Amino acid sequence: QALPSLKQLQRSGIDPARIVFEITELGGASARLPGVVERYREAGARIAIDDFGAGYSQLDRVLALQPDILKLDMRLFQQAARGGPSSEVVKALAQMAEKTGCWIIAEGVETEAELDFALECGARYVQGYLFAKPEEAFFSSHAFVKRFAQLRDHYVQQKLAERARLMTLRQQLGELMNSFKAWIEDGAQPDQLPQPHATPWLLRIFQCDRHGTQLTANLEWREHAWHSDARYVGHNWSWRPYFYQLLAEGWEERRLILSSTYRDATTNQYCLTAGQFIDNGKRLLLIDIDAAGF
């Protein structure tokens, strides 16, 4: 049978290419839904999944329907914008959407911080009270251009400031790495360890062979003193993303490589790891950093 909604479009003379059919939460999977979606597509319309990340809007639906648009669940999005584990989950969902060719819509954007988070997630569109409450009449297509331009520029300045902090961090890491390399080359005497009082974000240093096996105890910097932890000697870390990033990017030039932020499975902290080859490429010197300040 012809779908009533498509019949309605034909009667009204509206081009289906201007229409997005939104799939709301359903109580379980519908075997007929993929066929209905395909008919909308054949007519030239696009498909959105609403409230993605909540209720029955699960990943299997995305794989089955291959929507054009994913609308993030408002409660999940607003919680994620405040930080914490849900923030990483929503970013991962957004990355997944990007890889499958979906556009992201962030709903419930009510503060500048929530807009910043939406942009961080790569949202193509945003909607919420930050701009206006719903009105019966349509807004002008240019109604929010000036306001959004101001907010966007503020976001870009924030990202530039983050980049500047990262550049400063890289410089400090380079100096710190050189001091530890000199200490190792001088015999690695415990009583001669550098005292990194100017780098409160330092968590630990350790050495691995070039295959990822830890050779030395962790030297942990806490409460303004060094502490040794030998539990991880012999463990192999070659599977960790920062390690194969080092092998891929740091081997030829022997330069310092800084990983992306990740959550450490042992301490549950968000960390970055800096590493550099030493001893003519036979070993790796690694520095773990508390990412909370960055």
Side-chain angles (χ1 to χ4, degrees):
Q1 298 178 5
L3 296 173
S5 47
L6 291 180
K7 280 185 175 181
Q8 188 178 14
L9 288 183
Q10 291 170 357
R11 287 197 302 269
S12 65
I14 296 174
D15 181 358
R18 298 180 60 196
I19 298 297
V20 177
F21 284 100
E22 186 174 287
I23 299 169
T24 56
E25 182 180 312
L26 297 176
S30 169
R32 296 169 57 191
L33 192 56
V36 173
V37 165
E38 186 57 34
R39 291 172 68 182
Y40 283 138
R41 280 218 170 86
E42 288 173 356
R46 287 179 292 179
I47 301 298
I49 291 181
D50 193 24
D51 294 334
F52 181 65
Y56 292 98
S57 301
Q58 304 301 330
L59 298 180
D60 57 348
R61 176 160 299 176
V62 175
L63 296 174
L65 304 181
Q66 298 183 5
D68 304 285
I69 297 169
L70 291 175
K71 298 180 72 176
L72 294 174
D73 177 70
M74 184 170 70
R75 287 172 295 181
L76 178 63
F77 169 78
Q78 290 179 334
Q79 179 184 357
R82 293 193 288 269
S86 58
S87 173
E88 299 304 317
V89 170
V90 170
K91 286 180 183 177
L93 290 174
Q95 288 177 357
M96 180 209 68
E98 183 180 8
K99 290 178 180 179
T100 57
C102 294
W103 292 350
I104 286 286
I105 295 180
E107 299 182 280
V109 176
E110 300 179 357
T111 67
E112 289 190 31
E114 288 170 354
L115 175 63
D116 291 347
F117 183 70
L119 296 175
E120 190 77 23
C121 291
R124 181 71 174 258
Y125 298 108
V126 298
Q127 64 184 65
Y129 287 3
L130 178 62
F131 299 98
K133 293 186 178 182
E135 297 286 349
E136 183 177 354
F138 286 116
F139 292 101
S140 160
S141 59
H142 299 288
F144 307 112
V145 170
K146 184 177 180 181
R147 171 75 168 141
F148 182 76
Q150 293 170 338
L151 294 167
R152 180 200 59 217
D153 290 346
H154 183 255
Y155 170 77
V156 171
Q157 292 305 314
Q158 284 183 316
K159 300 307 290 184
L160 290 173
E162 286 179 18
R163 186 68 182 174
R165 290 196 298 272
L166 184 61
M167 297 291 285
T168 300
L169 173 63
R170 284 184 175 276
Q171 182 179 355
Q172 292 175 316
L173 278 170
E175 295 169 358
L176 194 62
M177 189 72 77
N178 287 334
S179 68
F180 285 129
K181 284 166 62 179
W183 171 73
I184 292 168
E185 291 167 357
D186 289 341
Q189 298 300 318
D191 59 341
Q192 296 177 0
L193 259 170
Q195 302 293 303
H197 295 291
T199 54
W201 35 258
L202 174 66
L203 294 175
R204 67 188 66 86
I205 69 167
F206 58 100
Q207 297 177 53
C208 289
D209 66 19
R210 58 174 301 192
H211 302 291
T213 300
Q214 187 160 335
L215 300 173
T216 65
N218 287 343
L219 294 173
E220 300 179 351
W221 178 252
R222 60 180 187 272
E223 299 175 352
H224 306 290
W226 287 107
H227 303 268
S228 180
D229 181 358
R231 288 179 297 169
Y232 301 103
V233 173
H235 284 226
N236 187 281
W237 308 111
S238 60
W239 57 276
R240 299 299 294 270
Y242 66 75
F243 195 89
Y244 50 75
Q245 184 181 0
L246 270 168
L247 290 180
E249 299 179 32
W251 171 248
E252 292 296 334
E253 301 176 21
R254 305 293 198 272
R255 61 189 178 93
L256 185 145
I257 301 297
L258 183 62
S259 75
S260 303
T261 303
Y262 64 94
R263 174 175 278 191
D264 182 76
T266 305
T267 64
N268 214 29
Q269 282 178 293
Y270 285 102
C271 303
L272 298 98
T273 295
Q276 192 167 11
F277 282 99
I278 60 173
D279 192 20
N280 292 320
K282 296 177 184 176
R283 288 178 292 161
L284 274 163
L285 177 59
L286 297 145
I287 300 176
D288 285 345
I289 302 159
D290 184 358
F294 300 98

